[in-house]
Amino acid sequence: MNLALHSPLDMHLHLRQDEMLDAVAPLSAKYFAGGVVMPNLIPPINSIERLLWYKAEVKRATAPYVFEPYMTLFFRSYTFSELEEARRNIIGVKLYPSGITTNSEGGVQDLSLIEPTLSMMQELDIPLLVHGETNGFVMDRESEFCRIYQLLASKFPGLRIVMEHITTRDAVVLLDRYENLFATITPHHLLTTLDDVVGGLMNPHLFCKPIAKRPEDRDALLAAALSAHSKVMMGTDSAPHPTNMKESHGCAAGVFSAPIALPLLAELFERHNALDRLQAFVSSNACRIYRITPREKEVRLIKQSMIIPASYLSIVPMWAGYEISWSFEA
Ligand code: DOR
Ligand code: ZN
C-alpha cells in the first residue's frame, strides 16, 4: 500500500541554531514542504533584525530542498510599526508564559500587559500562537490555561489564536466554542500518555512540555485528529536536544520526531481506517487556517516496516529502535 501526501506541513517546529540547526533542518526539509519555525532561541527571535538573520539561517540549512520556513516572532510588547514591518516575514507571534518551557525565560510575566500588542495584531491580522500552560500543578497546567484562552478569544474575536500542542480534552472542547481558536496537535500526544513517560521505566525521550496526559485526553485528541477536525493542524513540536541533555539528571523537555512523524501518522491513521483524513491533518487544514499556499511537493509513503534509527547524527528520536509499519518510499 502507498500513500502520496501533497505538501505536508509541520505547523510547530524547533530548528535551533548552529550545529543543531545544520543537523536537524535537512531532516524536516526533506519530508515537509514547510514548517512553522519556533523563536525560542537564546536570545529569542524578538526583533526584525534577528528574525531576518534567523530566516536566512534556516534557508541556508534547508537548501536545496523545497521547504518554506514560516517564521515566528517571540512575543513581547511590540509597536505598531514593528509589527507592520515584521508582518511580511512572519506567520505569527508566539507567546510563552515566562519560564514555562525550554528557553522561555524572556516570555510574558504579566498577562494583563499583553493586550495593546494583541489589539495591534488583530488589526494587522497577525495570528497569535500560544504555549498555553499556567505554572500550576503539571497535569493541570493546560486545563487551567483554558480560562485564559477563553478570555483572549472573547476579547479579541478578530484575532486568530492557535493553541499550540494541545494535550487535553478541555482544550479540544474549546475549538467548537470559539470561532477564532485553532490548535496544533503533535504525533507524540496522539500516541502516548503519561504512562509511556513515567509509568514504567522512565523514558526521557518522551518527556516534553506540555507533558502527555491521561488516556481520555489522548482519546479526545485522537478523535479530533482522525476526523481531521477543520480547526486542527499537525505540528510535531519536534524539539531536539543533545543526548547528554536528555539522558541526564535534569532532563530537558522536548521530543525529537520530525524525521519519523509522517510514517508514525500513516501507521496510526491506517490503524483507525482514517488514511483518507491524513492529507487534511498534515496540510490542507493548515493552508486554510493560515491562508498559505505552499509549493507543490509530493511526499510518498509506503506500507513497509522500518526500525526507527537509534539516533540521527547523535540526536535520539522518540521510539528509537521500535519497528513501525510505514516508511518513506525510497
Ligand atoms: O517540550 C518542549 N520542548 N516544549 C516546548 O514548549 C519547547 C520545546 C523546546 O524548545 O525544547
Ligand atoms: Zn514547541
Side-chain angles (χ1 to χ4, degrees):
M1 196 180 347
N2 293 44
L3 178 68
L5 292 173
H6 297 279
S7 304
L9 299 170
D10 183 347
M11 300 310 286
H12 184 130
L13 173 63
H14 296 268
L15 289 176
R16 316 299 193 202
Q17 62 195 88
D18 305 326
E19 310 85 65
M20 186 61 97
L21 171 67
D22 291 335
V24 301
L27 300 168
S28 286
K30 192 167 175 189
Y31 301 121
F32 290 94
V36 174
V37 182
M38 290 296 133
N40 61 331
L41 268 50
I42 305 176
I45 304 302
N46 63 2
S47 67
I48 306 283
E49 200 185 353
R50 283 195 49 74
L51 174 72
L52 296 179
W53 163 79
Y54 192 35
K55 187 173 183 180
E57 277 292 285
V58 172
K59 283 201 169 258
R60 178 193 58 69
T62 52
Y65 293 107
V66 168
F67 182 83
E68 184 63 36
Y70 298 105
M71 305 304 292
T72 57
L73 268 182
F74 192 95
F75 189 98
R76 62 172 170 82
S77 293
Y78 288 104
T79 64
F80 192 83
S81 61
E82 282 175 320
L83 290 172
E84 208 173 18
E85 193 184 344
R87 179 154 72 147
R88 73 186 90 93
N89 282 298
I90 57 171
I91 195 162
V93 176
K94 173 74 187 284
L95 187 155
Y96 290 91
S98 177
I100 208 68
T101 188
T102 308
N103 304 344
S104 63
E105 289 66 29
V108 170
Q109 292 189 352
D110 185 348
L111 283 165
S112 69
L113 304 178
I114 67 178
E115 295 192 359
T117 301
L118 295 188
S119 73
M120 291 185 275
M121 286 170 58
Q122 175 171 255
E123 188 177 338
L124 289 164
D125 202 15
I126 299 173
L128 174 71
L129 286 55
V130 184
H131 183 118
E133 290 194 281
T134 66
N135 56 10
F137 178 65
V138 68
M139 288 293 279
D140 297 335
R141 288 176 189 174
E142 182 175 296
S143 294
E144 288 174 3
F145 199 91
C146 284
R147 193 181 57 81
I148 297 163
Y149 279 135
Q150 290 179 270
L151 283 175
L152 295 177
S154 331
K155 201 148 190 183
F156 300 95
L159 179 67
R160 277 172 288 158
I161 301 172
V162 183
M163 305 184 285
E164 294 294 336
H165 44 55
I166 58 171
T167 59
T168 59
R169 183 162 58 189
D170 291 344
V172 173
V173 165
L174 295 185
L175 291 170
D176 295 323
R177 284 222 221 129
Y178 295 86
E179 212 173 311
N180 56 331
L181 284 185
F182 304 88
T184 57
I185 301 180
T186 74
H188 53 279
H189 289 121
L190 293 173
L191 290 165
T192 66
T193 67
L194 188 62
D195 259 357
D196 299 287
V197 190
V198 292
L201 292 180
M202 195 190 81
N203 185 341
H205 300 292
L206 290 177
F207 173 65
C208 65
K209 300 289 177 65
I211 193 87
K213 303 287 186 317
R214 310 179 62 85
E216 50 271 37
D217 292 305
R218 194 254 336 262
D219 292 347
L221 301 173
L222 261 180
L226 294 169
S227 64
H229 187 298
S230 64
K231 299 177 87 184
V232 306
M233 307 169 270
M234 198 288 293
T236 61
D237 197 14
S238 182
H241 291 276
T243 304
N244 68 309
M245 300 289 287
K246 291 294 291 175
E247 297 178 0
S248 75
H249 174 75
C251 168
V255 173
F256 180 52
S257 62
I260 48 159
L262 292 175
L264 285 175
L265 290 170
E267 182 183 61
L268 176 69
F269 275 58
E270 192 211 7
R271 195 186 322 137
H272 290 274
N273 289 317
L275 269 184
D276 58 328
R277 305 285 167 84
L278 190 53
Q279 178 65 36
F281 183 53
V282 301
S283 185
S284 335
N285 282 358
C287 293
R288 192 185 58 256
I289 293 166
Y290 274 112
R291 303 168 197 154
I292 51 177
T293 312
R295 280 171 66 189
E296 175 56 26
K297 174 171 178 173
E298 190 179 73
V299 174
R300 300 187 66 85
L301 295 153
I302 182 165
K303 189 165 183 196
Q304 190 174 299
S305 68
M306 77 156 185
I307 309 275
I308 298 181
S311 67
Y312 290 88
L313 294 174
S314 91
I315 307 141
V316 182
M318 75 178 274
W319 283 5
Y322 282 32
E323 183 172 344
I324 57 173
S325 57
W326 282 75
S327 44
F328 292 105
E329 217 172 76

